[in-house]
Amino acid sequence: MKPVRRHHFTLIEMIVVLAIMVIAIAVVAAAFRGDSPQIVLENATLELEAYLAQVRYRAAETGRDYVIKYPFGGKELIASPDYSREELETIELENVTTVEELKFRIPENCTMITESGAEKQLAQEQRLEIFRFYPDGGGSAANRPVMKCEKLSRSFDISFLTGRLTVSEEDFSETYVDPGTIEETVTENEAITVI
């Protein structure tokens, strides 16, 4: 009877096999897990806070109001100095190529709305004012934005005196009203004739 020959793995072969298994498990786990909405929203919030701090600093540095606007169908926020119509005409006459804009890109799987739903009434080429920062460090939120990522949402507000950002986690699914769904009823007592 012939003895059965057993194959003994060397230490190097075992290490290679284990390394391949670990890499395969890591790739499969990453493919199934993806980034959770909580992580995406947390990262987007931190990036937005950094962006707002940059815009606030720019307002103080230039001595001019900076306005952050949300464009029609936008996936970004755009901040630029608040110029009057006359100042813009002067800039055009002096052949200044562009007005400086600071942009914040909203993550792909997140959306931004306002608490009032004002963004739904934007027409092509229009922009909705979201935040305004003043040179003295203060600020305001003309339309409080809400960033949503799946079922999670965070709202952002600015302190008028200090320009401090307040972030709150709230469920806006019940309080958010689509402006197109409001039906206005007028009773005879409320009716006013307009001439």
Side-chain angles (χ1 to χ4, degrees):
M1 191 179 251
K2 207 173 187 183
V4 177
R5 191 171 185 200
R6 292 188 179 165
H7 182 68
H8 294 286
F9 287 108
T10 64
L11 182 60
I12 294 174
E13 290 173 330
M14 291 174 113
I15 291 173
V16 170
V17 169
L18 286 174
I20 291 172
M21 289 174 54
V22 167
I23 291 171
I25 290 171
V27 168
V28 169
F32 283 113
R33 182 182 64 97
D35 283 337
S36 73
Q38 180 69 31
I39 292 171
V40 170
L41 188 59
E42 184 64 34
N43 290 338
T45 300
L46 293 173
E47 290 171 14
L48 182 61
E49 288 176 5
Y51 169 75
L52 294 177
Q54 179 186 11
V55 175
R56 183 177 174 210
Y57 175 76
R58 190 64 55 90
E61 180 183 50
T62 61
R64 180 174 291 282
D65 288 7
Y66 258 74
V67 180
I68 300 175
K69 295 182 179 181
Y70 180 78
F72 170 80
K75 286 297 289 177
E76 62 187 2
L77 297 178
I78 301 170
S80 61
D82 188 23
Y83 290 111
S84 67
R85 185 170 287 147
E86 294 81 23
E87 288 174 316
L88 287 173
E89 289 172 2
T90 304
I91 289 171
E92 289 175 13
L93 290 174
E94 293 174 357
N95 291 327
V96 176
T97 53
T98 58
V99 174
E100 179 190 15
E101 292 182 338
L102 303 171
K103 296 183 179 183
F104 170 77
R105 189 100 180 120
I106 299 166
E108 286 297 320
N109 43 357
C110 292
T111 57
M112 187 167 279
I113 60 172
T114 59
E115 286 185 13
S116 63
E119 76 282 355
K120 294 201 177 272
Q121 298 178 7
L122 282 178
Q124 288 282 35
E125 304 301 318
Q126 282 189 325
R127 294 180 177 184
L128 176 68
E129 181 177 325
I130 300 288
F131 294 123
R132 177 179 293 263
F133 286 99
Y134 306 110
D136 64 359
S140 66
N143 291 286
R144 287 184 61 191
V146 176
M147 190 177 298
K148 298 182 85 172
C149 188
E150 293 188 14
K151 294 182 179 181
L152 302 173
S153 61
R154 291 200 178 152
S155 69
F156 304 90
D157 198 7
I158 299 286
S159 167
F160 181 75
L161 294 176
T162 64
R164 182 174 172 260
L165 177 68
T166 305
V167 180
S168 57
E169 294 184 25
E170 301 175 32
D171 182 12
F172 291 95
S173 57
E174 294 176 9
T175 58
Y176 177 71
V177 177
D178 185 344
T181 60
I182 298 174
E183 291 185 16
E184 195 171 314
T185 55
V186 179
T187 62
E188 287 184 24
N189 295 337
E190 297 174 330
I192 300 173
T193 306
V194 179
I195 299 175

